[in-house]
Each structure stands twice: as structure tokens, then as C-alpha cells.
Amino acid sequence: MIIMFRIGILGSENSHALAFSQIFNGITPGFDAEFEDIEVVGTFGTDNKANQELLDKAGVKFIADKPEDLLGKVDAVMVTARDGKYHAEYARPFIEAGLPAFIDKPFTRCGEEAVALAKLAKDKGVPLVGGSSLKCCIETKRLAAYARAHKDKILTGSVVAPVSMHNDYGDFYFYSSHLAEISLMVFGYDPEWVTAVGSDKGVTATIHYENYDIANHFTEHMYQYWGSVITEGGIHTQGIDLDTAYAEECRSYARMLRTGKMAETYEELVQPVFYLNALEKAMKTGERVPVIRAEI
């Protein structure tokens, strides 16, 4: 077997890093043949225990002292740092060098920074993929397909998902991208404005589209994902099962590596950041906040 794509993981402290490495390296049962042309070979992270775990439990070969040390040793990277404020910093040298990149959720914590990184990738001809694994789940795709098929008859809808309001990885931004990306994939990437009320129990937001409003419920102390699309003809409600999320995300990345084609546009990758920026501002000010449209 010839390994065609050597992968470097940037941000080993995230549980996603171990899950992706075990899938690509054939440790997780059932994936050795599917990804035989891909291997995670190296990692960088600030958590020494997590670094060693990738070597011991996923067959990763070496630990880098800094992200740039992976240059010349890998063909692509996966940026999985738990705090999105590091994503652009970690990814930029590799995009500059022309390497395809997976960037985990949130893409970044700042819309302008996200646009700058995406523009760099576009200028360099570098394909990107990433964000929340929840948009890869079959149930999310079913909700999105239903919404597209009934677009002219949508009355309202909602998405419910867990959130962590206080943590060491960006507070609201650490987990909120899951809900934001489900919501945008289902209802469209063109919301006009948002309002939001926040507390230690989470955030309830109203998202306004041209012809309807939807609700986003970011909820503490609850670990389930649900979506509803309400149309003139009825209600389509779907629980979202996480069991295949990591595998589907790996498949999306693998397709991009093999074909050079992105699963989403640069604008679609970046838009959730502007969405969350608007939500955060609305939550803090109590005002209606326009959602900036990403332009790459």
C-alpha cells in the first residue's frame, strides 16, 4: 500500500484529533480499506498528554515542537485546536505553502479573520473543508433537503443544540458553531438579521430571513440536537444522530484531498462566523443586528 496523503494534526488537545487519527490510521474498526491512501503521521499540540495519546492510541509517528515543523513532512493538515482563536494562526503557514486544510469548528472566532484566511486559500488555489461535523450527519441533510423542497412554503422552524457559555476555549464560540452550521445548512446562508437573549442557561435567538423567522435554542445542560421545518403543509422534525458524524467528516475531507473539490464554497465555510458574531452582539446589546454576508 502506498500512502498518498500524509496528514498533520494541529491541536491535539481536542477529542476530534484522536477520533480523526484513529479513523484514518485504521485503528477504528471498518475504516482500514476506505482510507488506505491517507495516514495521520504527525501532530502539534500544547497538551503533552494528548500528544502522546495520539502516538499510543492512533499510530501517529511524531510530535512537532511548533506547527511549522510539520512543513515538508505532511501533504495536508487538520486544524483541530479547541479554541477557534488559534485556527487561522495554525493554518496560515500551510495554506501559504499550498497544502489543503481541514479547519474544525469554529472556522475562526472573527469574521474578518475568517475572510482573510479564506481569501488567502482562494488566491493560492488551496481547497478547504471543515466546520461542524453535525452538518455532515444524514439527518441534517434530510432536514436541508426538506427545507429546499418546500422553500416557498416555509412558515418558520427551529434548531436546538447544546452550548457551553463558560469555558476556557472561547466561551459561547466553543460549542455554538454546531447549531449555527446546522441552521444555516437547513434554512440557508442568507439570514438578514438576528435578535438574541442570553443567560447562564444558554441563548435563544430569532433569525430573520426574507420571508420567515426561525428560532435557535442554544441550551446548557442538554446534549441533544434537533431541528424542525414548519411549512404550510405540516411539520418535519428530526433528531440528529452523532454516531456517524466523525466518519462522515473524514469522508468529506478525503473526497476533497482526492479530487481537489470543496464540499462547500469559501463563503459557506466563513458565513457561520459572521452569524455567530451577530448573535453575540445581539445577545450583549439587546438590539437587532444585521448578519454580514461573507465575500471572498
Side-chain angles (χ1 to χ4, degrees):
M1 177 186 67
I2 298 175
I3 300 297
M4 296 176 60
F5 300 103
R6 300 167 300 165
I7 307 300
I9 294 278
L10 303 171
S12 61
E13 76 282 357
N14 195 329
S15 60
H16 297 186
L18 180 62
F20 294 150
S21 297
Q22 289 181 326
I23 288 172
F24 280 133
N25 289 358
I27 307 299
T28 302
F31 294 103
D32 49 339
E34 184 174 356
F35 299 118
E36 63 181 357
D37 57 338
I38 299 172
E39 181 182 8
V40 178
V41 297
T43 187
F44 162 80
T46 57
D47 184 324
N48 292 331
K49 182 179 178 180
N51 287 336
Q52 190 60 46
E53 190 172 42
L54 288 184
L55 270 65
D56 295 341
K57 296 183 178 181
V60 175
K61 294 181 170 62
F62 63 89
I63 301 167
D65 292 328
K66 57 183 182 297
E68 293 83 353
D69 289 346
L70 289 169
L71 286 167
K73 299 177 181 177
V74 299
D75 306 300
V77 292
M78 301 186 80
V79 179
T80 58
R82 297 190 91 189
D83 193 333
K85 74 178 182 181
Y86 297 112
H87 288 179
E89 174 189 338
Y90 287 177
R92 192 173 293 110
F94 298 91
I95 293 173
E96 286 273 11
L99 273 64
F102 168 95
I103 301 176
D104 213 331
K105 60 83 186 166
F107 189 83
T108 66
R109 280 166 42 183
C110 167
E112 291 75 15
E113 184 177 53
V115 166
L117 190 66
K119 282 185 174 178
L120 174 64
K122 186 175 183 179
D123 290 345
K124 294 284 185 178
V126 171
L128 302 177
V129 73
S132 168
S133 59
L134 275 295
K135 67 187 173 190
C136 298
C137 295
I138 186 64
E139 294 85 0
T140 303
K141 293 177 180 177
R142 286 174 181 161
L143 277 169
Y146 182 85
R148 284 194 300 271
H150 300 82
K151 181 170 179 150
D152 296 334
K153 296 189 177 183
I154 293 176
L155 299 174
T156 186
S158 64
V159 181
V160 182
V163 74
S164 172
M165 298 299 289
H166 304 291
N167 53 72
D168 296 328
Y169 310 107
D171 293 330
F172 177 64
Y173 284 91
F174 174 48
Y175 231 70
S176 58
S177 196
H178 285 314
L179 191 157
E181 295 193 43
I182 294 170
S183 190
L184 289 171
M185 184 175 183
V186 172
F187 294 101
Y189 289 83
D190 55 348
E192 296 181 351
W193 51 259
V194 302
T195 61
V197 178
S199 71
D200 285 344
K201 294 182 179 179
V203 178
T204 295
T206 297
I207 318 301
H208 178 73
Y209 284 84
E210 182 180 6
N211 296 315
Y212 54 84
D213 296 329
I214 66 161
N216 281 178
H217 300 285
F218 301 81
T219 308
E220 285 268 16
H221 313 302
M222 185 279 300
Y223 201 76
Q224 294 183 41
Y225 296 83
W226 287 85
S228 295
V229 181
I230 302 173
T231 71
E232 294 173 14
I235 302 174
H236 183 82
T237 298
Q238 183 77 65
I240 299 172
D241 188 348
L242 281 65
D243 287 351
T244 62
Y246 288 147
E248 290 302 319
E249 204 161 25
C250 286
R251 289 184 178 112
S252 178
Y253 185 42
R255 282 193 296 270
M256 188 190 76
L257 292 177
R258 292 163 181 158
T259 67
K261 296 180 180 179
M262 294 170 54
E264 299 174 279
T265 66
Y266 293 109
E267 289 82 4
E268 288 169 343
L269 283 171
V270 166
Q271 193 60 45
V273 185
F274 284 105
Y275 190 62
L276 292 174
N277 287 170
L279 277 174
E280 182 186 39
K281 184 176 179 180
M283 179 174 55
K284 290 180 176 178
T285 65
E287 298 174 354
R288 176 187 295 182
V289 178
V291 180
I292 295 171
R293 294 292 299 276
E295 296 182 5
I296 312 297

